[in-house]
């Protein structure tokens, strides 16, 4: 296989492509219309989006063997676009193919747009973002383009533009770049969601890219040491908080978890910076101002008010935060406050965490199972450090039946078996829904406690009057029979079966199931 060089490709291009076609291919390449690119040796394959999606094959060794299924019928702009993509993939400067033979680009450039000035290390965040916007504009996105590769290529270009910068400046730049990409994902999603026929494919792609860049953003933030954070200038910090503020409070919900990003930055990163109190006071002022605007959407107001709560808690003003939540966030879910409780756990503020779990109880009553699990996880944190077991029990009892699992586990661990059986009777829990291991542990110590529960369950199932319920009733009876045997009360077992036969004599299907049970017992 021949070694592919940029000079060799340029020689081939001069003998095959019309320069106008080549420039059109460059536009397709720079606008991100090349998708599903794959290179195998000197053979390249890709889809290119035009008026339709065209399949392109490029032979790098002999361009004359390249092909495209578009109607042009020659060396078209789609083949040219894939050729530029191949150059990028091989580490060449794609723009050199546009130069006359023998001329070199002055220096490798990482951006594709012509006449685009690279960002400066000492430039402002606003100048950086202008560069970002010129490099990626999702307004030109076409349905069918692969989202994640497009955003990855953009991030690579953005970071290459900052190669050689001071590490601390480059880290701030990277955060701004991630915020920009996530903001662009939100915009892309809102712009394209109206095309319902492509919704699910686009949604999955956007969610994949969102997860990747959220993780990247949080990873960059976590890498900062306290010394590095304290070394950031006031201007750099204000520019970063301004960028976060601009992105984190859209008018409507979108795919990006801005609440998570905002709370993580303020509670775990910016709180460690020099002058964080002044930064927080500045932020609170504009949060309150924006939340009070009549023109702000309901969603935006909720997000702004939740952010304001974070700052109040961070300042130790829990009571003021709770009053604000009651006044402005009447329909909030328990999960909306978990950023606060997570922060208090991180800070090991157990007394304050207790205040918040108490305050959250009325909200948690209607929480989903996953939210309830998190809520009681906070209670466990408190209970492990403060003498609050009795209050915890009152809380759990007050939240039944939703809190059944937590109270049940507590009673079993403390071996309060009578209370556990009473709980199951009260909530009409069927023995068949309880793991056998739990039932056997009670049978081995206080099996007589199970008798009233099993009897009640049999009666409840028979009352449903259907074949499936009758079969389940007999399954409970099969659990009940060995208990009577071990208690040496076989006579009571026989009397109970006789009672069932007599009382439910008209329920033929149930009588059939009972006969199967009795035959099995006799055979045993």
């Amino acid at each position: 296989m021949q070694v592919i060089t940029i000079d060799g490709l340029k020689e081939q291009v001069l003998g095959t492509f019309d320069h106008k076609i080549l420039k059109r291919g460059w536009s397709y390449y720079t606008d991100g219309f090349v998708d599903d690119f794959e290179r195998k040796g000197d053979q390249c394959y890709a889809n290119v989006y035009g008026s339709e999606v065209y399949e392109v094959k490029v032979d790098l060794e002999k361009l004359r063997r390249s092909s495209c299924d578009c109607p042009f019928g020659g060396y078209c702009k789609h083949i040219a676009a894939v050729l530029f993509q191949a150059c990028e993939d091989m580490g060449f400067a794609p723009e050199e193919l546009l130069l006359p033979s023998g001329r070199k680009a002055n220096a490798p450039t990482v951006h594709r747009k012509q006449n685009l000035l690279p960002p400066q290390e000492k430039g402002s965040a606003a100048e950086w973002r202008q560069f970002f916007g010129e490099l990626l504009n999702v307004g030109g996105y076409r349905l069918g383009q692969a989202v994640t590769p497009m955003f990855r290529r953009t991030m690579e270009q953005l970071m290459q533009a900052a190669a050689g910068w001071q590490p601390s400046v480059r880290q701030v730049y990277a955060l701004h770049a991630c915020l920009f990409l996530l903001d662009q994902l939100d915009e892309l999603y809102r712009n394209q969601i109206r095309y319902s026929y492509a919704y699910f494919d686009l949604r999955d792609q956007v969610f994949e890219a969102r997860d990747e860049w959220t993780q990247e953003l949080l990873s960059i933030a976590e890498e900062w040491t306290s010394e590095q954070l304290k070394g950031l200038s006031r201007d750099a910090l204000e520019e970063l908080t301004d960028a976060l503020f601009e992105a984190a409070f859209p008018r409507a919900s979108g795919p990006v978890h801005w609440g998570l990003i905002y709370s993580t930055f303020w509670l775990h990163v910016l709180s460690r910076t020099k002058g964080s109190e002044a930064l927080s006071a500045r932020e609170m002022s504009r949060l309150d101002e924006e939340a009070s605007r009549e023109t702000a959407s309901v969603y935006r107001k909720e997000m702004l008010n939740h952010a304001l709560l974070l700052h109040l808690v961070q300042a130790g003003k829990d009571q003021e935060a709770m009053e604000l939540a009651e006044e402005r966030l009447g329909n909030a879910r328990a999960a909306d406050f978990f950023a606060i409780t997570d922060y208090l756990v991180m800070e090991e503020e157990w007394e304050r965490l207790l205040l918040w779990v108490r305050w959250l109880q009325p909200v948690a009553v209607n929480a989903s199972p996953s939210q309830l699990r998190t809520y009681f996880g906070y209670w466990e944190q408190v209970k492990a450090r403060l003498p609050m077991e009795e209050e915890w029990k009152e809380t759990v009892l007050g939240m039944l039946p939703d809190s059944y699992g937590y109270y049940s586990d507590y009673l079993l661990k403390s071996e309060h078996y009578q209370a556990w059986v009473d709980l199951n009777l009260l909530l009409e829990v069927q023995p068949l829904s309880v793991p056998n291991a739990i039932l056997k542990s009670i049978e081995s110590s206080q099996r007589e406690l199970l008798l009233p529960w099993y009897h009640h369950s049999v009666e409840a199932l028979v009352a449903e009057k259907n074949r499936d319920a009758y079969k389940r009733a007999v399954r409970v009876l099969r659990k009940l029979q060995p208990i009577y045997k071990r208690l040496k009360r076989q006579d009571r077992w026989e009397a109970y079966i006789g009672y069932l036969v007599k009382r439910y004599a008209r329920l033929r299907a149930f009588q059939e199931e009972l006969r199967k049970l009795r035959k099995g017992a006799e055979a045993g």
Side-chain angles (χ1 to χ4, degrees), residues 245-269:
F245 185 88
E246 287 300 316
F249 305 107
R251 287 189 56 82
S253 63
V256 178
H257 302 310
W258 287 115
L260 169 66
I261 292 169
Y262 185 90
S263 62
T264 300
F265 258 80
W266 272 104
L267 297 180
H268 306 295
V269 179

Side-chain angles (χ1 to χ4, degrees), residues 266-282:
W266 272 104
L267 297 180
H268 306 295
V269 179
L270 294 170
S271 62
R272 295 187 287 138
T273 60
K274 185 178 180 180
S276 59
E277 295 84 0
L279 274 178
S280 182
R282 174 178 178 264

